[in-house]
Amino acid sequence: MAARSAPSCHLRLEWVYGYRGHQCRNNLYYTAAKEIVYFVAGVGVVYSPREHRQKFYRGHSDDIISLALHPERVLVATGQVGKEPYICVWDSYTVQTVSVLKDVHTHGIACLAFDLDGQRLVSVGLDSKNAVCVWDWKRGRMLSMAPGHTDRIFDISWDLYQPNKLVSCGVKHIKFWSLCGNALTPKRGVFGKTGDLQTILCLACARDELTYSGALNGDIYVWKGINLIRTIQGAHTAGIFSMNACEEGFATGGRDGCIRLWDLTFKPITVIDLRETEQGYKGLSVRSVCWRGDHILVGTQDSEIFEIVVHERNKPFLIMQGHCEGELWALAVHPTKPLAVTGSDDRSVRIWSLVDHALIARCNMEEPIRCAAVNVDGIHLALGMKDGSFTVLRVRDMTEVVHIKDRKEAIHELKYSPDGTYLAVGCNDSSVDIYGVAQRYKKVGECAGSLSFITHLDWSSDSRYLQTNDGSGRRLLYRMPGGKEVTSKEEIKAVHWASWTCVSGLEVNGIWPKYSDTNDINSVDGNYVGQVLVTADDYGVVKLFRYPCLRKGAKFRKYIGHSAHVTNVRWSHDYQWVISIGGADHSVFQWKFIPERKLKDALHIAPQESLAESNSDESDSDLSDVPELDSEIEQETQLTYHRQVYKEDLPQLKEQCKEKQKSATSKRRERAPGNSIRLHFIHGYRGYDCRSNLFYTQIGEIVYHVAAVGVIYNRQQNTQRFYLGHDDDILCLAIHPLKDYVATGQVGRDPSIHVWDTETVKPLSILKGYHQYGVCAVDFSADGKRLASVGIDDSHTVVLWDWKKGEKLSVARGSKDKIFVVKMNPYVPDKLITAGIKHMKFWRRAGGGLIGRKGYIGTLGKNDTMMCAVYGWTEEMAFSGTSTGDVCIWRDIFLVKTVKAHDGPVFSMHALEKGFVTGGKDGVVALWDDSFERCLKTYAIKRADLAPGSKGLLLEDNPSIRAISLGHGHILVGTKNGEILEVDKSGPITLLVQGHMEGEVWGLATHPYLPICATVSDDKTLRIWDLSPSHCMLAVRKLKKGGRCCCFSPDGKALAVGLNDGSFLMANADTLEDLVSFHHRKDIISDIQFSPGSGKYLAVASHDNFIDIYNVVSSKRVGICKGATSYITHIDWDTRGKLLQVNTGAKEQLFFEAPRGKKQTIPSVEVEKISWASWTSVLGLCCEGIWPIIGEVTDVTASCLTSDKMVLATGDDLGFVKLFRYPAKGKFAKFKKYVAHSTHVTNVRWTYDDSMLVTLGGADMSLMVWTNEMESYREKKSCDSEESDIDSEEDGGYDSDVTRENEISYTIRALSTNIRPMLGIKPHLQQKEPSVDERQGVVRGSRPPVSRAPPQPEKLQSNNVGKKKRPIEDLVLELAFGYRGRDCRNNVHYLNDGDDIIYHTASVGILHNVATGTQSFYQEHNDDILCLTVNQHPKFINIVATGQVIQQTCQLQPHLCTSGMR
């Protein structure tokens, strides 16, 4: 089916008609190359007037609203609107992105400005605080941020003559900023009596601290410092929107349509009134002006750009026109000429020449225009109006032929019939009227079948039928001209349509996404010749589909540029171009159509790079054209790592449980045990869902990960060391180029990446804050300074870090499908690749963003899933392994060729100095030459090749290979089955480490007198492990079903195993061969225990809520324990073998007599006195204290008591292994806690002599062996356990001062009682006469009434201007009594060799001279200072830092001020 693939033709943006003049200012400049840069919709445009050519920057994803030009006039910064708006800095010559600045502003970026040397950029947001932000734009780093003002800011500029000073202006304010350190401090401009307080629209800075600003009333205000010193009245007769400074002086432009030029001292030079010129018109308003030499550029409110040559100033040259504000819906193309007609709510109809890229005719109508059509011979132009009328004009001279109004609602669509006889007019009142053209447009018919407004019309080729679409998505057919509805399917099928612009109908089914019922596609147009269809939708996207397009969810190519609704789209008469129009951005885009045959010659039309997923991206629809995903990959893509409770949530959950805790802590809690445990060895390796996570370190040890542990394995000594810094599953691991540091990424709500040293096993850096749910891939750069990481959030965010500083350098959305690997370019540290599901992307860093380009496949292959990727011998070459077994070879972003490498997916690939090594699902390791021409050698992983020194047994031949690494003369291989193997280049294979395969592991039993244990898992294997120094798997047996429990008989000869289908078996403990098996239950067998002593009875508990008791000797069931209301979780025998203790899922603790199974009721006091053979129960008084405070959220899944009955070990759902003193009576006993497992710890068991604790992780499939360190044995070394959850009062003594200080709250509080009664109202709170502005509701965002900050000066009122006021004298602080000691420490210091003392009180820093008793003060704080320190470094003599509290209403960080005290 053709629609399964996107069309192979292409659109290229050729011209954009229009300029964004409305709601924007100062957005039009000359570049160094004398080109003109501006923006329209979501596109930055660079226009060359000499060549009449446009270049486009398309890195934005929404409307651009601000623009700044770098002082060198090559680079441009543009800011957009949107929920997460960003700033792009781009090169006007190459139109490529240089830097992206993001993650700071919300809503949009209102203004931008570069500083004098172009190193820094300032931006202003559209958020409620109008945040001002200063950037080091090259590095993409924010240097400083501060709230700008409560009202809109219209302009901001750097003072080009004073470093670190800025000026911003806006609604009723002007602010002068100084940047000191990373703090931006504003001072409000003082209007005084020189001028009225009013809105300032634009500004420019000059020498001698002078600032010129343009006001709303047309005056220019001149400022010195922060004071208004004079006004130039009547500079313009209305608001001054734009001011531009250049070498010659200043240019201003205003709402009055005038441009004024001023010299450097702001004396007038000349006035140019555009309204009076030939091209001018009434109401022309200037929004942007740029003066360069003898040329002036002017941008107007109505989307025109004029160029004025100064000596011919009355002849401005119009270089760009577009529609004015108002929605643009009407579009029609001329039937025989390369012309397009557009009509808009601005009431103008315009005709554009597609060849000359110019406006050739314009006519203003009485009403807003909503649709247009040209008749077959190109003579008549019909326009449908918003008021229900339609007008027909002659195209030749735009004179009216006829004006008819038969309807009251808007005309949304009209079309001439192919034979030119009729005009069909579709109205919003759901009717279609048919008019006869020759009868001077007399109404000859009406179609009235629709129930909703008419959206689209098409005529049949013979003009006998008309099809309509309406707002409800229905498609109807009518016979012409009468308007009778056609319902016969045969008749409908036979119709051949002259055009296809309807959005519903069989031929265009595929344009709709698979499961959508929305009406967000506004327009389509079919190209019968090229068999393509173009569509326009509400998301600003133009798409190309194959035509016809029958199946929903068809593939497409998509193009962005429009910012919001694309309202209409049409092919030109000869199918050379596509014209699309934007509703709100009222721009007209002209796209060149590049058919298939030309594409082959034009490989340069590789997708233009972009930030927004765009520009001829393949579609995002289903995977229908891709072969079935390999089962393993399919399984992996289904994995989610979401947790109901993350470990990060614990402090919050504990906080919620505080009340419970308080009642419990009043009782004395049980102490933690003296013993501790230390992690000794882990059986397991995470291979089932990870790749390339296994490496040799510098000294030849092996580093990998399992559960939440980074493991360093020494293969000579067979020992392991552990990095235990993570608290949840590690998903990825990368090694530093020097092979001494490792980076690991984990699962978490705010997941962290740890960089740690393999020698000391200590963390060097922990990176958090930019990923969600988990980190699935990491990679170091070749110099080791940077780290790239990929998250598992919905957009698979890619982040580039400077890991030593812990600083995020760049971030971008990766892909909506899973990414498996990220690789940094070894030659260029700013480049990287990501590969994943139908995804191969080449990235380069641009400031704070990354720019991705999809790999261009062309005809060489298909869009396959990539499982691994590496760079080759040059910076351009990259290689990726696919899910079908091919290796793809890439140059730059182009696929050069593919090589068949494996049967099934290529999971791992490693680049060598001269060649490559790959590993696949087929269990084969292949060595290749350096161009993948030849396979030099293959190694199959087979049991027969296992060397005698192997630590265990290979479960199957050719296991799926997930990781490969080379070094020290060997190939290191990690398999999906959790095995790590070392392949000698000569062939023999040594097994080093292994664990269970995918599937939860629950069953664990330790041998009664040997250091071995047995495990059974959902992976359908039963395994015996040696816990002594050889640490290996001794035996393994495959089972028909997975198992959940096992138990050795008291003599150690038999092993009972409970399976998931309700059966259980007894096997020989040495050979694992069956002795006997039973199948009496349907549900999982959850626990199984031999009675103590001779092991005469076997108790078998199931999820059917029963326990069966069997006589081992006679192999018969002798009793059934009934009475549990839920599934059984744990069973224990008493030492006599006569009583069973049972726990259930409903948290019941029950007792049954053995062997008959009679239920017994035993008082809890008596339970303690019973001597139990084992204790694995989690309920009852003896272990009440093991349940955590957040017991509702997490379950304790397992416990085990040492044989001396002193220490109880537990495992819980959060992955903690805890040790308690036994019995743990009373709630919330103290414990020692250990993190190594990632989630549920499913089982814990002490060995027969209590020397080791063995624990099982359910989902992490690892078996961990811990050594028990007795109290006496422990040396004084740092404890690796975390102590208990909560501390009670008796811990660490009590001191009233400390407790009081601990409870002080510095949040702002009003005094609780008035010190003395006060009468009257404070002056600044008195009701004042509202000003005119306030009456009209102009003053928005006024400040909150209660605040500790000093009240702001009242706005000037009109009624008190004439009265004289006494001048206010200044107060100067002379002496401050007091010192803050009650809640501060270490806050008195000597300075100047003991001559002065520095300390603080209230909000003042005090320098007290000891000899004279005089004081000097630091008074920049505005609230209590709480801390003070002096810099001891000789280089920074007398530098003091003080920190204060701050109001809660203000969302700022608490201030830290650094000052020099002289």
Side-chain angles (χ1 to χ4, degrees):
M1 174 80 234
R4 283 242 183 127
S5 59
S8 40
C9 44
H10 186 77
L11 296 180
R12 189 183 69 222
L13 187 56
E14 183 175 285
W15 200 264
V16 177
Y17 301 89
Y19 150 76
R20 169 96 188 222
H22 66 287
Q23 299 160 356
C24 291
R25 282 164 301 283
N26 306 328
N27 58 353
L28 180 62
Y29 296 101
Y30 282 111
T31 67
K34 300 211 169 106
E35 295 179 315
I36 295 167
V37 62
Y38 59 96
F39 56 81
V40 56
V43 178
V45 182
V46 182
Y47 170 66
S48 161
R50 280 199 308 265
E51 299 168 22
H52 191 54
R53 198 169 58 84
Q54 288 181 343
K55 292 184 289 197
F56 307 102
Y57 175 71
R58 291 161 69 196
H60 285 282
S61 59
D62 209 330
D63 264 333
I64 302 176
I65 54 165
S66 53
L67 180 146
L69 191 65
H70 189 275
E72 289 165 9
R73 308 204 337 253
V74 175
L75 296 177
V76 181
T78 43
Q80 66 167 57
V81 291
K83 198 163 91 186
E84 295 170 355
Y86 51 85
I87 300 162
C88 295
V89 180
W90 46 281
D91 184 317
S92 64
Y93 188 69
T94 62
V95 289
Q96 299 294 3
T97 312
V98 178
S99 182
V100 182
L101 315 175
K102 53 198 216 181
D103 298 332
V104 171
H105 291 294
T106 57
H107 299 79
I109 288 131
C111 5
L112 294 165
F114 282 100
D115 69 353
L116 178 62
D117 58 1
Q119 297 297 315
R120 292 175 299 180
L121 179 72
V122 64
S123 60
V124 177
L126 281 178
D127 53 287
S128 56
K129 295 198 167 66
N130 297 289
V132 174
C133 180
V134 178
W135 303 84
D136 172 347
W137 62 265
K138 279 186 184 149
R139 295 173 62 196
R141 259 185 66 210
M142 181 179 80
L143 300 175
S144 175
M145 184 174 181
H149 192 64
T150 49
D151 237 323
R152 269 292 298 277
I153 294 178
F154 290 133
D155 200 1
I156 191 159
S157 172
W158 290 85
D159 189 325
L160 303 181
Y161 303 97
Q162 297 180 79
N164 298 327
K165 298 275 193 236
L166 299 111
V167 190
S168 69
C169 64
V171 175
K172 301 213 164 176
H173 78 279
I174 183 165
K175 278 187 180 175
F176 297 86
W177 301 80
S178 56
L179 177 61
C180 179
N182 68 353
L184 267 172
T185 323
K187 290 195 170 154
R188 280 190 83 147
V190 180
F191 285 83
K193 293 182 182 171
T194 318
D196 292 344
L197 168 73
Q198 61 165 313
T199 294
I200 308 288
L201 295 169
C202 58
L203 53 85
C205 296
R207 295 181 191 283
D208 311 324
E209 289 190 54
L210 284 180
T211 306
Y212 298 102
S213 63
L216 189 59
N217 64 357
D219 294 352
I220 284 171
Y221 281 24
V222 186
W223 306 80
K224 180 144 180 122
I226 64 165
N227 294 301
L228 180 58
I229 53 167
R230 66 188 177 104
T231 64
I232 301 170
Q233 291 188 346
H236 288 262
T237 54
I240 303 173
F241 283 128
S242 180
M243 186 179 287
N244 178 246
C246 67
E247 295 87 32
E248 289 86 2
F250 300 87
T252 56
R255 195 187 203 141
D256 55 3
C258 290
I259 310 293
R260 292 196 79 150
L261 304 186
W262 312 79
D263 68 9
L264 291 166
T265 58
F266 240 90
K267 299 213 165 45
I269 300 174
T270 184
V271 179
I272 302 161
D273 188 345
L274 283 175
R275 293 185 184 181
E276 300 303 317
T277 60
E278 191 183 326
Q279 307 274 8
Y281 51 91
K282 187 170 168 255
L284 185 147
S285 164
V286 174
R287 300 298 295 216
S288 188
V289 56
C290 172
W291 180 12
R292 187 66 68 234
D294 60 348
H295 285 70
I296 301 166
L297 272 182
V298 181
T300 74
Q301 166 94 23
D302 289 350
S303 310
E304 296 131 337
I305 300 175
F306 290 95
E307 188 170 39
I308 302 169
V309 181
V310 177
H311 54 267
E312 293 181 2
R313 64 193 74 149
N314 50 1
K315 289 189 184 161
F317 182 58
L318 192 53
I319 54 178
M320 178 52 67
Q321 296 178 38
H323 279 281
C324 321
E325 213 169 344
E327 287 191 30
L328 175 59
W329 280 87
L331 170 66
V333 290
H334 195 282
T336 56
K337 295 181 185 153
L339 300 177
V341 181
T342 56
S344 143
D345 285 3
D346 69 2
R347 305 183 181 199
S348 71
V349 55
R350 300 170 189 240
I351 301 182
W352 311 89
S353 162
L354 304 181
V355 177
D356 301 333
H357 301 140
L359 178 69
I360 54 170
R362 169 183 173 166
C363 176
N364 287 345
M365 310 304 290
E366 299 292 310
E367 290 295 328
I369 303 161
R370 275 300 160 101
C371 55
V374 185
N375 76 344
V376 197
D377 47 17
I379 294 171
H380 283 184
L381 165 63
L383 303 171
M385 307 296 185
K386 208 171 168 181
D387 68 343
S389 65
F390 72 93
T391 301
V392 180
L393 306 177
R394 286 184 192 84
V395 175
R396 190 179 66 240
D397 53 5
M398 303 295 255
T399 52
E400 188 175 299
V401 177
V402 58
H403 175 86
I404 292 171
K405 183 169 180 189
D406 286 340
R407 298 283 171 193
K408 293 194 172 65
E409 290 186 40
I411 305 295
H412 194 78
E413 177 74 308
L414 39 70
K415 267 208 176 74
Y416 282 99
S417 63
D419 61 6
T421 324
Y422 303 111
L423 173 67
V425 179
C427 173
N428 273 5
D429 65 7
S430 68
S431 64
V432 180
D433 296 326
I434 312 297
Y435 296 89
V437 176
Q439 298 99 303
R440 275 195 66 75
Y441 293 91
K442 178 180 166 215
K443 187 166 166 183
V444 294
E446 185 177 330
C447 314
S450 283
L451 301 173
S452 178
F453 55 93
I454 304 297
T455 56
H456 303 88
L457 304 171
D458 280 308
W459 287 88
S460 64
S461 307
D462 56 9
S463 305
R464 288 175 50 205
Y465 295 93
L466 181 76
Q467 68 169 339
T468 67
N469 282 178
D470 61 27
S472 65
R474 282 178 66 205
R475 172 191 180 209
L476 297 171
L477 262 79
Y478 301 97
R479 265 195 213 94
M480 289 292 111
K484 187 171 187 297
E485 199 175 325
V486 179
T487 50
S488 130
K489 284 194 177 161
E490 277 65 41
E491 192 174 350
I492 293 173
K493 265 190 181 165
V495 179
H496 184 270
W497 298 102
S499 63
W500 191 288
T501 60
C502 284
V503 295
S504 47
L506 191 63
E507 285 87 335
V508 292
N509 252 346
I511 66 175
W512 298 97
K514 265 199 166 161
Y515 305 106
S516 85
D517 52 350
T518 47
N519 50 357
D520 47 19
I521 297 178
N522 297 315
S523 175
V524 310
D525 195 13
N527 170 350
Y528 295 158
V529 180
Q531 292 190 314
V532 276
L533 184 75
V534 61
T535 72
D537 65 30
D538 280 354
Y539 306 107
V541 180
V542 172
K543 294 179 184 172
L544 271 187
F545 291 88
R546 291 182 185 270
Y547 180 85
C549 178
L550 309 176
R551 288 239 323 250
K552 267 203 163 188
K555 296 293 197 129
F556 52 79
R557 291 180 182 275
K558 69 176 183 185
Y559 304 89
I560 64 164
H562 287 289
S563 53
H565 312 280
V566 186
T567 50
N568 214 328
V569 61
R570 286 288 178 268
W571 289 96
S572 64
H573 75 103
D574 54 0
Y575 301 117
Q576 267 198 62
W577 292 285
V578 168
I579 315 298
S580 62
I581 58 175
D585 60 39
H586 47 83
S587 57
V588 180
F589 281 41
Q590 179 177 336
W591 309 81
K592 180 82 178 153
F593 177 58
I594 297 163
E596 211 166 333
R597 55 183 184 280
K598 291 203 183 141
L599 251 187
K600 295 196 173 72
D601 323 328
L603 261 183
H604 62 272
I605 315 169
Q608 183 194 354
E609 45 178 62
S610 82
L611 291 151
E613 286 288 325
S614 122
N615 308 331
S616 133
D617 270 5
E618 298 293 332
S619 53
D620 37 24
S621 58
D622 63 327
L623 305 174
S624 55
D625 61 335
V626 172
E628 282 302 294
L629 266 184
D630 177 84
S631 58
E632 268 182 39
I633 303 171
E634 183 69 54
Q635 223 170 333
E636 203 174 316
T637 52
Q638 301 308 318
L639 286 175
T640 72
Y641 299 98
H642 291 261
R643 313 261 188 257
Q644 272 170 321
V645 178
Y646 288 91
K647 295 204 177 67
E648 293 124 290
D649 305 339
L650 291 181
Q652 216 174 340
L653 290 165
K654 284 179 194 156
E655 197 63 29
Q656 292 163 9
C657 303
K658 256 198 167 151
E659 290 312 306
K660 275 197 338 193
Q661 165 191 333
K662 277 187 181 147
S663 60
T665 48
S666 52
K667 307 188 192 81
R668 180 148 187 105
R669 288 156 55 220
E670 195 56 65
R671 285 178 304 144
N675 298 31
S676 66
I677 53 174
R678 191 165 46 87
L679 190 54
H680 180 59
F681 202 89
I682 303 182
H683 294 280
Y685 152 71
R686 183 150 187 157
Y688 74 96
D689 63 344
C690 299
R691 278 153 312 283
S692 307
N693 54 355
L694 175 63
F695 299 97
Y696 282 111
T697 66
Q698 228 171 30
I699 54 175
E701 294 182 312
I702 292 167
V703 62
Y704 59 97
H705 64 88
V706 60
V709 185
V711 184
I712 301 148
Y713 174 73
N714 183 317
R715 62 195 203 286
Q716 284 79 23
Q717 296 164 7
N718 194 27
T719 56
Q720 294 178 341
R721 293 179 299 130
F722 309 102
Y723 176 72
L724 294 165
H726 288 281
D727 61 8
D728 207 330
D729 272 328
I730 299 177
L731 294 183
C732 54
L733 180 149
I735 196 156
H736 190 278
L738 298 177
K739 308 261 189 278
D740 51 354
Y741 299 159
V742 165
T744 42
Q746 71 163 62
V747 170
R749 196 179 289 288
D750 175 8
S752 54
I753 299 162
H754 293 228
V755 181
W756 45 279
D757 186 327
T758 55
E759 199 49 47
T760 61
V761 212
K762 295 258 187 327
L764 303 164
S765 180
I766 296 177
L767 312 170
K768 312 176 67 146
Y770 286 92
H771 291 297
Q772 274 178 309
Y773 310 129
V775 179
C776 62
V778 285
D779 191 41
F780 280 101
S781 61
D783 59 4
K785 290 180 180 165
R786 295 182 180 181
L787 183 74
S789 61
V790 179
I792 53 176
D793 52 287
D794 292 341
S795 44
H796 298 92
T797 310
V798 182
V799 181
L800 193 58
W801 307 86
D802 177 333
W803 64 265
K804 278 189 180 148
K805 291 185 186 160
E807 191 183 300
K808 172 213 69 145
L809 298 174
S810 305
V811 61
R813 291 182 176 170
S815 159
K816 53 178 197 320
D817 290 315
K818 194 155 187 165
I819 292 179
F820 293 127
V821 61
V822 60
K823 265 280 176 276
M824 306 227 1
N825 192 314
Y827 309 98
V828 187
D830 276 349
K831 287 189 170 179
L832 51 134
I833 42 182
T834 55
I837 298 229
K838 296 181 61 196
H839 165 102
M840 181 77 182
K841 223 165 189 182
F842 297 81
W843 302 85
R844 71 177 177 82
R845 182 180 171 213
L850 289 162
I851 292 168
R853 301 164 78 186
K854 284 198 172 173
Y856 186 81
I857 293 164
T859 52
L860 281 171
K862 51 193 179 309
N863 199 0
D864 220 331
T865 290
M866 304 291 168
M867 299 307 301
C868 56
V870 292
Y871 274 98
W873 58 91
T874 67
E875 63 174 275
E876 270 95 56
M877 297 305 289
F879 301 85
S880 62
T882 72
S883 59
T884 50
D886 294 338
V887 168
C888 295
I889 304 174
W890 305 82
R891 181 178 286 114
D892 193 21
I893 65 163
F894 300 104
L895 180 61
V896 186
K897 73 174 203 180
T898 61
V899 177
K900 184 73 179 162
H902 289 270
D903 294 332
V906 184
F907 281 128
S908 188
M909 189 186 277
H910 190 83
L912 311 172
E913 281 179 16
K914 291 200 177 93
F916 298 90
V917 55
T918 59
K921 186 182 177 178
D922 54 8
V924 173
V925 177
L927 287 171
W928 301 81
D929 65 2
D930 59 4
S931 55
F932 270 101
E933 301 279 328
R934 232 156 36 97
C935 179
L936 306 175
K937 188 158 186 188
T938 58
Y939 303 92
I941 307 291
K942 291 214 166 19
R943 279 178 282 204
D945 298 336
L946 267 196
S950 287
K951 303 276 186 286
L953 309 158
L954 199 57
L955 209 65
E956 57 188 21
D957 282 344
N958 300 335
S960 179
I961 295 174
R962 304 302 292 247
I964 287 191
S965 178
L966 272 84
H968 303 273
H970 293 95
I971 302 172
L972 199 55
V973 174
T975 74
K976 180 181 190 238
N977 296 350
E979 297 133 348
I980 297 178
L981 308 145
E982 196 169 52
V983 182
D984 192 276
K985 298 247 171 101
S986 60
I989 297 170
T990 315
L991 179 61
L992 301 175
V993 175
Q994 73 186 128
H996 276 282
M997 303 185 290
E998 195 174 3
E1000 292 196 9
V1001 195
W1002 283 76
L1004 171 67
T1006 47
H1007 195 278
Y1009 54 82
L1010 292 174
I1012 63 175
C1013 72
T1015 57
V1016 60
S1017 150
D1018 287 356
D1019 70 3
K1020 302 183 186 169
T1021 61
L1022 169 65
R1023 304 177 186 228
I1024 306 279
W1025 308 86
D1026 187 348
L1027 304 177
S1028 66
S1030 78
H1031 294 305
C1032 66
M1033 187 172 81
L1034 299 171
V1036 59
R1037 170 181 164 191
K1038 288 194 175 175
L1039 305 167
K1040 288 193 174 63
K1041 287 275 181 290
R1044 282 287 168 106
C1045 56
C1046 57
C1047 181
F1048 281 101
S1049 62
D1051 59 5
K1053 288 186 178 155
L1055 180 60
V1057 182
L1059 303 179
N1060 292 349
D1061 62 350
S1063 66
F1064 72 94
L1065 55 90
M1066 277 167 64
N1068 179 317
D1070 297 328
T1071 63
L1072 297 187
E1073 285 166 3
D1074 266 14
L1075 298 173
V1076 57
S1077 71
F1078 295 91
H1079 197 157
H1080 284 138
R1081 297 279 165 218
K1082 293 191 178 66
D1083 217 333
I1084 294 173
I1085 303 294
S1086 53
D1087 201 359
I1088 194 162
Q1089 295 282 357
F1090 281 97
S1091 63
S1094 62
K1096 183 179 176 187
Y1097 295 113
L1098 179 65
V1100 181
S1102 81
H1103 275 200
D1104 289 356
N1105 308 0
F1106 298 113
I1107 298 124
D1108 298 317
I1109 299 175
Y1110 294 84
N1111 181 319
V1112 176
V1113 185
S1114 66
S1115 299
K1116 285 198 165 61
R1117 178 160 62 170
V1118 290
I1120 300 176
C1121 309
K1122 303 174 180 171
T1125 62
S1126 177
Y1127 57 93
I1128 315 295
T1129 56
H1130 306 83
I1131 50 179
D1132 288 304
W1133 288 89
D1134 74 335
T1135 42
R1136 299 172 309 142
K1138 296 283 171 67
L1139 189 66
L1140 274 175
Q1141 171 182 214
V1142 174
N1143 288 183
T1144 75
K1147 306 239 171 113
E1148 305 164 293
Q1149 184 188 22
L1150 307 171
F1151 301 95
F1152 295 96
E1153 203 173 67
R1156 293 285 162 259
K1158 186 164 185 280
K1159 191 173 175 188
Q1160 301 291 324
T1161 310
I1162 304 179
S1164 50
V1165 191
E1166 299 297 319
V1167 177
E1168 278 180 62
K1169 299 178 184 164
I1170 298 171
S1171 167
W1172 296 98
S1174 64
W1175 185 285
T1176 60
S1177 166
V1178 294
L1179 301 171
L1181 276 182
C1182 302
C1183 48
E1184 182 187 16
I1186 69 175
W1187 286 85
I1189 292 176
I1190 51 170
E1192 286 85 58
V1193 185
T1194 173
D1195 260 348
V1196 178
T1197 43
S1199 78
C1200 186
L1201 186 59
T1202 51
S1203 43
D1204 62 6
K1205 309 242 183 308
M1206 296 296 286
V1207 180
L1208 184 67
T1210 68
D1212 64 32
D1213 279 355
L1214 281 169
F1216 296 129
V1217 175
K1218 295 179 182 172
L1219 298 186
F1220 292 88
R1221 194 178 284 274
Y1222 184 84
K1225 292 183 183 173
K1227 287 192 169 168
F1228 317 136
K1230 296 197 174 174
F1231 53 80
K1232 293 186 173 167
K1233 124 174 135 177
Y1234 302 87
V1235 184
H1237 288 291
S1238 52
T1239 49
H1240 314 280
V1241 178
T1242 49
N1243 219 327
V1244 297
R1245 288 289 181 268
W1246 294 98
T1247 53
Y1248 70 100
D1249 57 358
D1250 295 340
S1251 63
M1252 288 185 257
L1253 176 70
V1254 188
T1255 61
L1256 273 187
D1260 63 34
M1261 293 145 340
S1262 59
L1263 172 69
M1264 300 197 184
V1265 183
W1266 310 72
T1267 49
N1268 182 4
E1269 302 188 340
M1270 308 292 175
E1271 215 158 343
S1272 54
Y1273 167 81
R1274 278 173 67 196
E1275 311 131 40
K1276 289 282 178 216
K1277 61 175 180 11
S1278 63
C1279 182
D1280 59 348
S1281 85
E1282 244 184 273
E1283 302 293 336
S1284 323
D1285 282 352
I1286 51 175
D1287 305 308
S1288 47
E1289 290 292 281
E1290 74 258 15
D1291 306 339
Y1294 169 81
D1295 178 274
S1296 58
D1297 276 7
V1298 175
T1299 306
R1300 186 181 66 84
E1301 192 171 328
N1302 212 359
E1303 287 166 357
I1304 287 180
S1305 156
Y1306 296 105
T1307 48
I1308 304 306
R1309 52 192 183 275
L1311 290 170
S1312 47
T1313 54
N1314 270 340
I1315 298 167
R1316 59 170 185 272
M1318 288 168 68
L1319 297 169
I1321 302 169
K1322 291 182 182 175
H1324 69 278
L1325 295 177
Q1326 283 170 5
Q1327 284 293 315
K1328 65 175 202 294
E1329 190 67 23
S1331 68
V1332 182
D1333 276 347
E1334 282 160 340
R1335 279 198 212 103
Q1336 292 166 354
V1338 173
V1339 182
R1340 290 179 300 147
S1342 50
R1343 308 185 51 216
V1346 181
S1347 156
R1348 228 170 138 174
Q1352 288 187 328
E1354 285 307 338
K1355 302 212 163 63
L1356 292 172
Q1357 289 148 25
S1358 47
N1359 56 0
N1360 57 8
V1361 174
K1363 300 174 191 164
K1364 278 204 173 154
K1365 288 192 177 173
R1366 283 220 327 269
I1368 296 173
E1369 275 124 33
D1370 245 355
L1371 297 179
V1372 178
L1373 184 58
E1374 194 173 287
L1375 208 57
F1377 292 98
Y1379 150 70
R1380 183 145 187 162
R1382 67 192 160 95
D1383 58 352
C1384 301
R1385 281 159 309 287
N1386 306 336
N1387 57 348
V1388 180
H1389 295 271
Y1390 277 117
L1391 278 187
N1392 305 327
D1393 301 330
D1395 292 352
D1396 298 313
I1397 303 171
I1398 175 113
Y1399 60 97
H1400 62 85
T1401 184
S1403 66
V1404 185
I1406 301 170
L1407 187 69
H1408 184 95
N1409 185 292
V1410 181
T1412 62
T1414 54
Q1415 295 179 341
S1416 47
F1417 307 98
Y1418 179 76
Q1419 293 175 269
E1420 293 292 317
H1421 285 285
N1422 59 8
D1423 211 326
D1424 280 336
I1425 299 177
L1426 292 185
C1427 52
L1428 175 149
T1429 185
V1430 174
N1431 196 324
Q1432 307 292 346
H1433 196 283
K1435 195 169 146 195
F1436 300 105
I1437 202 151
N1438 291 351
I1439 295 288
V1440 179
T1442 45
Q1444 69 165 65
V1445 295
I1446 197 156
Q1447 295 156 257
Q1448 271 186 313
T1449 50
C1450 183
Q1451 296 288 303
L1452 278 177
Q1453 300 303 312
H1455 288 326
L1456 190 68
C1457 289
T1458 316
S1459 59
M1461 281 287 185
R1462 291 277 177 263

